[in-house]
Amino acid sequence: MDPKFEATPRGRRTGGTMTGHAKSSRPNLRRSQIALRLISAALIVSIVSTNLIFLSDLRESTLRTTEANLKRYNLTLAEEADRSFKSLDLVLSSVSDYLARRGVTDSDSYQRTMSDQETHALLKEKVTGLPQIDAVTMIDAKGKLINFSRYWPIPDINVSDRDYFKALSSDENLETYISAPTQNRGNGTWNIYLARRLNDPDGNFMGLLLGAMSQRYFENFFAATAPESDTKISLVRSDDLVLASYPHSAKTGQLKADGGRRALQAGGSLRETSEDGHKSHKTILRSARMLPNYPVLVTVTLNEESELRNWHGMAKLLLAMSIISGLIILTGSVAIARWWNKQALYAEAAEATSASKSNFLAMMSHEIRTPMNAVLGLASNLLETKLAPEQRRAVEGIHSSGDGLLKILDDILEYSRLEAGRLSIELITFSPINVVKQSLDMIGPRAAAKGLTIRTDLSDNLPQALIGDPGRIRQVLLNLLSNAVKFTPSGTIVVAVNCVSDDRSTARIQWTVTDTGIGIDPDKIESLFDDFVQADNSIRRRFGGSGLGLAISRRLIEQMGGSINVTSTPGVGSSFNFTLALAITSDVAPKEESPTGVTDLHARIAAGGRPLRLLIVDDNPTNRAVAVQMLSEFAIQCSTACDGTEAVTAATRFEYDVILMDMRMPEMDGLEATRSIRARGGPLATVPIIAFTANAFAEDEQACRDAGMNDHVAKPVRKNALVSAILSALPPLQARNAADVGLPVVASEPTPSGDVGRDIEGRPEVGSVACPIESAPTARLYVGKAAFAHLVAEIGEQASLDVLAVFVRDAEAKLGLLDALNVATDRRRIEREAHSLKSAAGTFGLDRLAGLARDLERRAPELSEADYVVLVAQIKTTFAAAQRTPVGDDELVEFVA
């Protein structure tokens, strides 16, 4: 090999260059210390400001959620109160009809006809089974009781002094009246009366029909349903007279403006400041709602502080983490600064100073990593526990910030190795085209999330194989691509690879990354590759970073004997390129190895001499689509079934090599379907059946095996796990050869995912090719970045987008179905639909949506109608939120399917 391509001499030359660069005078040391202080201050300010912004957003989000919950709770109270008044109103209407049937036409006939025991029995029967109605009373024109539902004989009581009697007897235009809370003169209970005026045919006052509702009934209902111990609830008449309250107040029955009208004018909810008994001001959340049919409103009040208890705990946690992170950064920066000063005082030679400084820089990077790893470890442990959504987002933010800090420390460590000349260069055979493809595979999802387009321009005269360090070349290329994505708000990024010259033994290869980003000022370009430098200070504030990426890239390229350059126009874009002289080789560049399971399955199918026949059974089209796409590279004929009944029919008509069986499905679940298939004997007693389910607990796996399944694969499934399960389940070849003879294969067209294929006689098809994904209308969805990246790694980006389109369509259909289902009669159906939604949402990393669906599935057997409505509304809101931009959430990525 030509000596100029050996790594060690070049490393020495570059190391010497770096040592000269590291030889610094006092001004250089001061600049380094200033840069270190600026980086430390920027990190601390970034951590503190991020936490403050997050806490502010979290506080407002918590209060808005509480206000929404308060309005929903108030709606429930208003509906219940309205039903109570309505039931009493209906009783009074039926009694009024009874008067007409008995021929009551004036005050005399009213008193004479209605004072008998038969009428008493009728009134008593009317209030039977209505716990909120205390009594129904008939009053004559002078206020005397004519008849009474509570007991017989009728007591001698006159109510002409009551407010309802005075109001109705004096105003002929007033038909009904809701009284102030009044103590019953018969038994001492406090009631709210709904009074109805009775007129004779001439419109003269004939008397009253009076219905009494127990005040205690309302207060007990308020107490039983109050969401917090400090919740205050009032039933208020339209003139601000308090009819009932919880907790019971001495102001009940008095005119008291409690802010209900202000809340109504504000749209139903209001935040305002009130004074408690110690004259201290507190912010309260108030909600008010009018009854649909009566001049009464319900007001609900909560203290803001009680709703922010969890937020205060989170604020303390973030404050503690911020202090710890700040101390770590300050300790590291102070230690580094002191060590630099000490070395500057005692350095006798530039090379000794540079080597010592680099050694210490590497040591300090490791020392800072140690406590940071503890912080990240504790955050990871917290993420594995059960956390509230707000707490999970906070801990994920801590973890993400820690990862960012470790990335900066890694840059510093890499920089120190390069500066000391201790970074070795590997010389192996590689393909320059593969280096580009691998880099784009890693950076592609980030570019797609920003809506950027990446194009490649590969020259035709590129050598097939070169000798060099592909890992370091890819590192530089990734750094340039990452910067291009970071500083390009919209447009296109082009990656070009050209062979500048070729003398058959050596080729000069140029890699170029061109973007349409913000560009760089001409006076900043010369210093762009210096240590700890970015284009300007505002860049660091807006985009972050250590300023070491390009410095490291330059040193790596120089150590490999090349050069790196940049041209840029502000507002138009930038173009970075680096050129390397590399040896050409006739050896074939190694290809990426396939996972062992994938290779073995290809070999197993080839040895069988025919395509593998597979039945995929799942009621969720997204899961069926994912499975079909994962197996699309193999010679496998896929058929699909939507439930256990179709699976049994398909399995009994045709002989499959493997059946993938979901557990939770409508009509017949996977366990019952498996038992039914096994019970038919013959080949069906031994056909491999693999559980393909989101039920991933140990008891679920045991239930599958008890039902007769061979293996268990948990969703969201990974391709290697699915391939390994199929390989393990397949019997030896000789056990299947005899069964293959004469097997009927019915020709059919491929069917869309989600429908079982049918032959010409209407039976489930067999032998069809892998089912394509049915097209869906354009939909926008923000899915989990890591989950989608895993799915792309399994089945490819386009197939993942196709599956995503199926999921959006199916999720919208399920949400519509959940709205239409009745919790009283469709509990099993609700449970199955929630299970299916949970599984599909988990595939795309929509953890919040999957968690709510899991809650609905678990609670379906005993869920009340009101709770069902609330939970379905939360699921719909969460799905809708996934279709909007998630502000500040770095773990979600937008895709348009």
Side-chain angles (χ1 to χ4, degrees):
M1 182 182 294
D2 194 324
K4 65 182 178 180
F5 291 105
E6 295 181 4
T8 304
R10 182 180 298 145
R12 290 197 187 106
R13 288 198 303 273
T14 307
T17 302
M18 291 180 182
T19 302
H21 179 73
K23 188 186 299 181
S24 60
S25 61
R26 289 282 181 180
N28 289 335
L29 178 59
R30 282 195 296 271
R31 284 196 293 269
S32 297
Q33 290 175 335
I34 291 172
L36 182 61
R37 293 190 187 102
L38 289 175
I39 291 173
S40 300
L43 286 173
I44 294 173
V45 170
S46 175
I47 291 172
V48 173
S49 60
T50 300
N51 288 340
L52 289 176
I53 293 172
F54 172 78
L55 285 173
S56 177
D57 290 344
L58 177 60
R59 184 180 188 278
E60 183 61 25
S61 175
T62 300
L63 292 178
R64 287 181 179 176
T65 301
T66 301
E67 287 177 332
N69 292 336
L70 208 58
K71 292 176 75 172
R72 283 193 292 268
Y73 172 63
N74 203 347
L75 173 62
T76 302
L77 295 181
E79 289 176 346
E80 176 61 26
D82 190 81
R83 280 194 293 269
S84 298
F85 278 102
K86 192 70 175 176
S87 62
L88 179 55
D89 209 355
L90 290 173
V91 169
L92 297 182
S93 295
S94 66
V95 174
S96 181
D97 293 338
Y98 173 76
L99 296 179
R101 291 197 302 271
R102 291 288 299 271
V104 173
T105 59
D106 53 25
S107 296
D108 292 337
S109 60
Y110 178 43
Q111 290 179 328
R112 183 179 63 256
T113 307
M114 295 293 106
S115 60
D116 58 1
Q117 192 166 358
E118 178 186 348
T119 302
H120 164 73
L122 173 73
L123 297 179
K124 188 173 183 180
E125 180 185 352
K126 292 291 185 182
V127 299
T128 301
L130 299 174
Q132 71 273 29
I133 301 178
D134 187 67
V136 175
T137 308
M138 294 180 173
I139 308 294
D140 67 11
K142 296 181 180 180
K144 184 178 179 181
L145 269 67
I146 297 175
N147 216 321
F148 191 42
S149 64
R150 185 174 290 122
Y151 44 80
W152 183 269
I154 306 303
D156 185 14
I157 296 176
N158 191 292
V159 296
S160 59
D161 61 328
R162 299 298 197 190
D163 60 345
Y164 52 84
F165 185 87
K166 294 176 180 179
L168 290 172
S169 63
S170 61
D171 189 350
E172 62 182 11
N173 296 318
L174 193 62
E175 295 181 357
T176 59
Y177 185 85
I178 297 174
S179 76
T182 305
Q183 189 172 25
N184 186 278
R185 288 171 175 159
N187 59 7
T189 60
W190 284 88
N191 296 320
I192 302 169
Y193 290 95
L194 178 62
R196 177 176 291 188
R197 177 187 171 101
L198 295 177
N199 292 331
D200 61 19
D202 296 328
N204 296 319
F205 179 62
M206 190 171 69
L208 300 179
L209 289 179
L210 188 64
M213 283 190 295
S214 172
Q215 185 190 62
R216 184 177 296 276
Y217 169 83
F218 288 106
E219 294 180 346
N220 288 344
F221 177 76
F222 295 161
T225 60
E228 299 285 350
S229 59
D230 61 346
T231 304
K232 296 180 180 179
I233 308 168
S234 297
L235 189 67
V236 183
R237 205 166 63 183
S238 59
D239 60 354
D240 289 337
L241 187 139
V242 180
L243 300 177
S245 61
Y246 169 79
H248 184 76
S249 171
K251 295 182 180 180
T252 302
Q254 302 176 16
L255 290 174
K256 172 179 169 289
D258 64 344
R261 292 191 175 278
R262 292 194 300 276
L264 282 176
Q265 292 170 357
S269 62
L270 179 68
R271 297 182 202 173
E272 58 183 7
T273 302
S274 67
E275 292 185 355
D276 62 12
H278 301 286
K279 301 299 181 182
S280 62
H281 295 274
K282 290 187 176 181
T283 300
I284 61 171
L285 307 177
R286 191 190 308 279
S287 174
R289 181 177 290 272
M290 289 293 299
L291 271 58
N293 298 297
Y294 299 94
V296 177
L297 69 153
V298 178
T299 63
V300 184
T301 303
L302 280 176
N303 283 330
E304 181 184 272
E305 287 299 315
S306 64
E307 292 303 307
L308 293 177
R309 282 193 293 266
N310 292 336
W311 179 85
H312 286 299
M314 183 62 63
K316 292 178 182 177
L317 173 63
L318 287 180
L319 176 61
M321 298 302 294
S322 299
I323 293 174
I324 293 173
S325 301
L327 289 176
I328 291 172
I329 295 170
L330 287 175
T331 301
S333 63
V334 169
I336 292 172
R338 288 180 177 178
W339 191 88
W340 282 350
N341 285 330
K342 183 178 180 181
Q343 292 301 311
L345 292 173
Y346 298 101
E348 295 180 354
E351 185 174 355
T353 302
S354 177
S356 300
K357 182 179 67 175
S358 299
N359 286 336
F360 183 78
L361 197 58
M363 179 190 71
M364 286 307 302
S365 295
H366 285 293
E367 291 298 321
I368 296 174
R369 288 177 66 92
T370 300
M372 276 309 304
N373 281 330
V375 172
L376 289 175
L378 291 172
S380 298
N381 290 339
L382 278 174
L383 288 173
E384 294 174 1
T385 63
K386 186 175 182 181
L387 298 173
E390 294 86 0
Q391 293 173 326
R392 179 166 295 279
R393 288 187 62 187
V395 177
E396 286 172 348
I398 294 170
H399 197 282
S400 176
S401 298
D403 279 338
L405 181 56
L406 285 181
K407 176 65 172 66
I408 295 174
L409 296 177
D410 286 338
D411 285 347
I412 295 174
L413 186 58
E414 184 89 330
Y415 170 81
S416 68
R417 290 172 178 170
L418 282 165
E419 193 175 38
R422 295 198 304 268
L423 197 67
S424 62
I425 298 298
E426 192 176 25
L427 297 176
I428 60 174
T429 301
F430 73 99
S431 166
I433 297 177
N434 283 346
V435 168
V436 174
K437 291 175 63 178
Q438 293 162 3
S439 301
L440 293 182
D441 287 343
M442 297 174 68
I443 209 71
R446 284 179 52 196
K450 289 187 67 174
L452 302 177
T453 300
I454 298 184
R455 293 193 295 103
T456 57
D457 184 8
L458 308 177
S459 64
D460 296 331
N461 61 342
L462 282 176
Q464 294 297 312
L466 300 168
I467 295 177
D469 191 336
R472 294 302 178 185
I473 296 173
R474 184 165 53 245
Q475 179 181 350
V476 174
L477 191 57
L478 277 172
N479 185 275
L480 298 182
L481 281 169
S482 178
N483 283 345
V485 171
K486 182 190 297 185
F487 300 123
T488 303
S490 63
T492 304
I493 298 171
V494 179
V495 182
V497 186
N498 298 305
C499 182
V500 179
S501 63
D502 180 356
D503 62 3
R504 298 188 179 181
S505 63
T506 304
R508 285 179 56 80
I509 308 298
Q510 185 179 73
W511 284 265
T512 305
V513 177
T514 305
D515 63 60
T516 57
I518 61 177
I520 305 168
D521 292 332
D523 58 337
K524 304 292 184 182
I525 290 180
E526 290 186 5
S527 62
L528 197 60
F529 293 94
D530 291 346
D531 306 332
F532 303 102
V533 170
Q534 288 185 331
D536 58 55
N537 289 333
S538 65
I539 293 295
R540 180 173 290 113
R541 287 196 298 270
R542 290 172 55 198
F543 298 100
S546 63
L548 285 174
L550 290 177
I552 292 173
S553 296
R554 185 200 67 178
R555 292 172 186 263
L556 284 173
I557 295 301
E558 288 178 351
Q559 189 160 336
M560 289 186 285
S563 62
I564 185 169
N565 300 285
V566 58
T567 58
S568 182
T569 302
V572 176
S574 305
S575 179
F576 288 79
N577 68 78
F578 61 94
T579 306
L580 294 172
L582 302 169
I584 301 174
T585 180
S586 58
D587 296 340
V588 178
K591 297 182 179 179
E592 293 184 15
E593 295 184 0
S594 301
T596 304
V598 172
T599 305
D600 291 347
L601 184 56
H602 278 297
R604 172 65 176 79
I605 296 173
R610 62 163 176 79
L612 206 64
R613 296 183 290 266
L614 182 71
L615 177 63
I616 301 171
V617 186
D618 199 304
D619 64 318
N620 188 287
T622 303
N623 294 332
R624 294 195 298 270
V626 170
V628 167
Q629 290 292 349
M630 282 185 176
L631 301 174
S632 61
E633 70 171 276
F634 301 101
I636 295 178
Q637 295 173 333
C638 294
S639 296
T640 61
C642 299
D643 56 49
T645 303
E646 287 189 353
V648 173
T649 303
T652 53
R653 291 185 181 276
F654 299 99
E655 187 171 349
Y656 292 97
D657 297 301
V658 178
I659 298 175
L660 297 181
M661 183 75 73
D662 190 17
M663 281 183 65
R664 303 292 294 274
M665 294 181 292
E667 304 299 329
M668 178 186 291
D669 63 28
L671 300 178
E672 186 179 350
T674 300
R675 295 188 187 98
S676 180
I677 291 172
R678 296 297 189 215
R680 281 162 169 73
L684 295 181
T686 58
V687 61
I689 302 177
I690 300 172
F692 182 62
T693 176
N695 292 44
F697 294 103
E699 57 267 29
D700 298 318
E701 182 175 355
Q702 187 59 45
C704 293
R705 295 190 184 278
D706 292 343
M709 298 188 191
N710 302 74
D711 205 347
H712 180 280
V713 177
K715 299 174 188 172
V717 70
R718 295 290 175 250
K719 182 176 180 178
N720 287 339
L722 181 59
V723 168
S724 298
I726 293 174
L727 270 172
S728 301
L730 287 173
L733 282 174
Q734 59 270 22
R736 299 289 295 177
N737 287 341
D740 293 338
V741 178
L743 180 68
V745 178
V746 181
S748 64
E749 292 294 326
T751 59
S753 176
D755 299 320
V756 66
R758 305 286 173 180
D759 64 15
I760 58 177
E761 299 178 6
R763 298 174 300 188
E765 73 167 34
V766 66
S768 65
V769 298
C771 308
I773 304 298
E774 190 173 55
S775 64
T778 299
R780 184 183 304 276
L781 195 69
Y782 289 85
V783 301
K785 184 186 297 182
F788 193 83
H790 281 305
L791 192 60
V792 170
E794 302 284 5
I795 65 176
E797 183 172 354
Q798 186 55 50
S800 299
L801 290 173
D802 291 339
V803 173
L804 178 61
V806 173
F807 166 72
V808 173
R809 179 191 60 194
D810 183 60
E812 290 174 345
K814 287 190 184 301
L815 293 178
L817 178 60
L818 289 174
D819 264 343
L821 292 177
N822 188 325
V823 72
T825 57
D826 301 320
R827 293 187 185 275
R828 291 293 300 276
R829 182 74 181 276
I830 291 169
E831 187 177 359
R832 289 193 301 265
E833 296 299 331
H835 173 82
S836 177
L837 180 61
K838 172 192 72 174
S839 171
T843 299
F844 292 101
L846 298 173
D847 297 336
R848 169 71 174 160
L849 181 62
L852 289 172
R854 184 184 302 111
D855 192 23
L856 178 58
E857 177 192 9
R858 178 179 57 83
R859 297 173 57 191
E862 68 277 348
L863 203 62
S864 68
E865 178 69 28
D867 289 342
Y868 174 72
V869 171
V870 171
L871 191 50
V872 170
Q874 289 176 341
I875 292 174
K876 292 174 68 177
T877 301
T878 301
F879 183 75
Q883 296 175 303
R884 300 190 298 268
T885 302
V887 178
D889 195 336
D890 294 331
E891 296 306 318
L892 298 181
V893 59
E894 175 191 13
F895 286 98
V896 179

